[in-house]
Amino acid sequence: MRRVVRSVRYIQLAVQHQKHNYSSSSAKLQEHLRSANSDYRLTRNAEIHRFLHLQPACITSRALSTDAAPVTDGDLNRGGPLVEYERRISVGELVEGDDFQVGTLRELQRLYDELVEFADTCQLDRYAASKKASRSRWLWSRFMPQSSCSPIKGLYLYGGVGTGKTMLMDLFYDQLSCNWRKRRIHFHDFMLNVHTRLRKHKGVADPLEVVAGEISDESVLLCLDEFMVTDVADALILNRLFKHLFNNGVILVATSNRAPDNLYEGGLQRDLFLPFIATLKERCVVHEIGSSVDYRKMTSAEEGFYFVGKDKSSLLKEKFQHLIGEETASPQEVEVVMGRTLQVPLGANGCAYFPFEELCDRPLGAADYFGLFKKFHTLAVEGVPIFGLHNRTAAYRFVTLVDVMYESKARLLCTAEGSPQELFRWVVTISDAQHMAPRTSSRSRRSDDSNLCVDNELGFAKDRTISRLTEMNSKEFLEHHASMLGEKKLSQDGINANVLQA
């Protein structure tokens, strides 16, 4: 009975906030944005920000200009991503920027302000939230169906590669209260977690509802980075999964390279996926970051371990040996998911060595790659080929590998048949293919590019992969990685010293 009363009170409170307070919140937000528009003077010539002086950082970004209006004490007390962005400028951590990123920050600030205002209504505080198990919630919902969509709309950010989507979402996430039920996770990792939970609840009438209940019990605010749907299994469950999540009050913040209407474009059984797009647009504000500049490519590239040429195998092995130091590399085994293991040909001192075929010509996926980088911080890959029609599946796996490696902040050593741009020169979207010169009767079929791979998803993903490979090969990224390893070693040495003293 108390549960019923609590549910009714929750719904009444949400409706009350929607009808009476949301309009005043919007008015205050509009006033805030008008003020921000007048206070902030933006520079026209955007430059890459100089990396954080007080702490190492490898993700490039853009910020407000240094002559922007100072942050007031009232703003600092209020907090939020826009205020933190300006604070970093005032202390010299970030310089220069463009209005595209500032516009995104205002959307994030809007969401932050609403989350603070409706924190109690949305039950964000983990210590004040119900501890009831999701199975019990699912059983109870059979008798008392509950639909309690949050009064707050989430945010779906999309734009080109290197525009700072991930950095901005992380900036927003870091400003949120540590007591809140929140989670920030890569989309690949999130879907792996969903499939694992579904197998755990196999046999339940509606396992998706149980899984959604578990996720929403743990996290009211869900931040998903790199929202990208390429798998038909994911596409078929997303609509029902997120309907349950939204009905449970979950608020979504997502980043993607693609607009909602372009998700899973050309995919199998896409008609079953389309309702998810409608649901996504209903529950999230869709915002485009319209910059055409890829700031990852403005790092000090060609300072790292990306070697072009088939004759560079001995150089790669020499660099690998240097990194493992006095340890001896040997075959190892990595546990991934559901008791599966991944065989590592050579590994030592946090470094793993693979021929390309062992990683991308075998039926491996994101789960295997995430498992690999939980144990190893550095990956050496020998023989990355030029991608085309003949090895399209391997190209998909390589894209996923780079995504997981970038998310895991791992270091890459590799030999390749060409630069990052050259690796994907035969991969094009349908639109790109239509702009190419058509075949004519005067041209023989032999002269056509028989290796041309026309693939929308891969053609769209290649820009992100090229951008990330470029940044991972930069001096800044590698210096940050070395600094991160140094901090881990000092921490481990301190733990070992305490154990010896005990």
Side-chain angles (χ1 to χ4, degrees), residues 104-326:
T104 303
L105 276 164
R106 288 181 183 139
E107 284 293 337
L108 288 165
Q109 185 69 42
R110 182 271 309 169
L111 179 57
Y112 174 88
D113 290 342
E114 291 182 3
L115 287 170
V116 171
E117 182 175 356
F118 294 107
D120 292 338
T121 305
C122 297
Q123 297 184 334
L124 278 166
D125 193 314
R126 71 175 67 253
Y127 299 108
S130 170
K131 304 295 184 184
K132 186 174 287 291
S134 58
R135 269 189 178 271
S136 300
R137 174 214 285 247
W138 172 79
L139 182 62
W140 180 255
S141 68
R142 302 300 90 197
F143 303 100
M144 180 70 179
Q146 301 173 61
S147 178
S148 51
C149 286
S150 171
I152 299 174
K153 280 193 173 187
L155 187 60
Y156 183 96
L157 302 175
Y158 75 96
V161 298
T163 53
K165 298 182 295 294
T166 297
M167 184 275 295
L168 292 173
M169 186 173 75
D170 287 344
L171 179 64
F172 161 78
Y173 187 83
D174 291 342
Q175 300 308 302
L176 304 175
S177 169
C178 60
N179 289 345
W180 285 2
R181 292 187 290 160
K182 59 176 183 172
R183 189 177 189 191
R184 188 270 192 211
I185 186 172
H186 191 277
F187 181 72
H188 276 316
D189 208 3
F190 172 74
M191 291 309 301
L192 287 172
N193 181 268
V194 168
H195 287 294
T196 299
R197 291 177 190 255
L198 286 173
R199 282 186 287 269
K200 175 183 172 184
H201 298 299
K202 188 177 180 180
V204 174
D206 189 352
L208 270 176
E209 187 173 3
V210 179
V211 169
E214 290 179 344
I215 293 172
S216 54
D217 276 347
E218 298 163 2
S219 311
V220 174
L221 182 66
L222 188 60
C223 297
L224 299 181
D225 194 27
E226 296 294 352
F227 206 109
M228 179 182 66
V229 186
T230 57
D231 185 85
V232 64
D234 293 346
L236 293 178
I237 69 173
L238 277 171
N239 183 48
R240 289 183 54 237
L241 173 66
F242 272 89
K243 275 191 174 178
H244 288 313
L245 288 174
F246 290 139
N247 284 340
N248 290 343
V250 166
I251 303 160
L252 174 67
V253 180
T255 68
S256 179
N257 288 346
R258 313 205 71 169
D261 290 329
N262 296 332
L263 287 171
Y264 197 51
E265 193 172 31
L268 295 172
Q269 297 181 284
R270 190 172 187 258
D271 56 320
L272 299 178
F273 178 78
L274 294 177
F276 167 71
I277 296 177
T279 301
L280 183 67
K281 291 161 73 173
E282 178 186 348
R283 293 305 312 158
C284 293
V285 174
V286 178
H287 178 80
E288 179 182 9
I289 306 178
S291 178
S292 60
V293 179
D294 183 349
Y295 274 63
R296 293 196 194 111
K297 293 181 180 178
M298 297 178 68
T299 53
S300 305
E302 300 180 3
E303 296 286 344
F305 301 107
Y306 188 106
F307 308 114
V308 177
K310 295 182 178 180
D311 58 342
K312 301 293 185 180
S313 176
S314 59
L315 178 59
L316 182 67
K317 291 174 180 175
E318 178 186 328
K319 294 291 186 182
F320 178 78
Q321 186 61 46
H322 174 74
L323 290 176
I324 65 174
E326 297 179 357

